[in-house]
Amino acid sequence: MDAWIGGLLRALDARGLTERSVIAVTADHGEEFGDRGGLHHSHTLFGELVDVPLLLAAPGAGTGVDDEPVSLRALPRLLLEAARWPVDDAFIEGAPGMTASIRLRQGGRHLLRVADGSWSLHLRVVPGEERLQEPALYSRAEDPGERRDLSGERTDVVRDLIARPEVTELIERLQIG
């Protein structure tokens, strides 16, 4: 991958386009390299699989790191803004500060992960059942590897995250099946 990206950057530079280009590098998912005993990318929704980096270079953007989660739905807006193109709010939508990941399982329990800057909440949603199964809550700042479940200690955070309208809507859709 490094060689391909390097080739693209050299080609842009050779054509004098580097200073006029917005360059974004990201992925659709991460990989689990033994983090939880597996070597796959489709069985859980832990951070190593769904929190993927976004590298963005744009003219005049400067350098820096922003750890705030961004939904893929916000990517078109970010790219258009970086290119200094007008953004039509009716066409582009994004939910800065919160991301949701879903793993649908046919006829089984769906996985839902909601993350904001502070917390990561994992739920299992069974179609036809109102009760959410096996909630797990992790502190993104204190436990970025999502190892210590705080759902029993921080029921207030679990309740508040589930009560967000966008999360409630996702849960309702998954419960319908």
Side-chain angles (χ1 to χ4, degrees):
M1 184 57 68
D2 289 347
W4 285 101
I5 293 171
L8 171 66
L9 296 177
R10 284 189 297 280
L12 288 171
D13 198 41
R15 289 167 177 80
L17 297 174
T18 304
E19 296 303 316
R20 299 181 335 159
S21 299
V22 173
I23 301 163
V25 178
T26 191
D28 62 337
H29 61 77
E31 286 293 335
E32 183 178 343
F33 293 113
D35 300 85
R36 296 174 201 284
L39 293 171
H40 305 288
H41 63 258
S42 63
H43 301 293
T44 70
L45 293 176
F46 284 102
E48 59 266 17
L49 299 176
V50 297
D51 293 336
V52 296
L54 168 63
L55 307 175
L56 185 61
T63 60
V65 174
D66 186 348
D67 290 330
E68 187 70 25
V70 177
S71 169
L72 284 177
R73 291 179 5 192
L75 192 56
R77 172 183 290 282
L78 289 173
L79 295 175
L80 289 171
E81 287 174 350
R84 297 188 177 119
W85 282 38
V87 177
D88 182 353
D89 286 333
F91 176 70
I92 303 289
E93 64 177 286
M98 190 192 90
T99 61
S101 302
I102 300 171
R103 171 85 173 129
L104 299 175
R105 296 203 170 148
Q106 191 169 358
R109 301 178 301 173
H110 304 308
L111 303 178
L112 172 62
R113 178 182 186 259
V114 177
D116 66 12
S118 304
W119 303 100
S120 173
L121 175 66
H122 294 241
L123 300 167
R124 293 188 187 275
V125 182
V126 178
E129 288 188 16
E130 285 189 34
R131 187 177 65 84
L132 300 172
Q133 298 183 354
E134 306 173 37
L137 179 71
Y138 304 94
S139 168
R140 293 173 60 85
E142 296 172 16
D143 182 20
E146 299 176 309
R147 302 285 182 192
R148 185 168 175 249
D149 179 5
L150 300 173
S151 61
E153 301 168 35
R154 296 301 309 266
T155 56
D156 59 322
V157 175
V158 172
R159 184 183 60 249
D160 290 347
L161 285 171
I162 291 172
R164 288 186 177 183
E166 55 268 51
V167 176
T168 300
E169 181 182 336
L170 283 171
I171 291 169
E172 288 173 355
R173 286 184 183 183
L174 291 171
Q175 286 171 330
I176 293 171

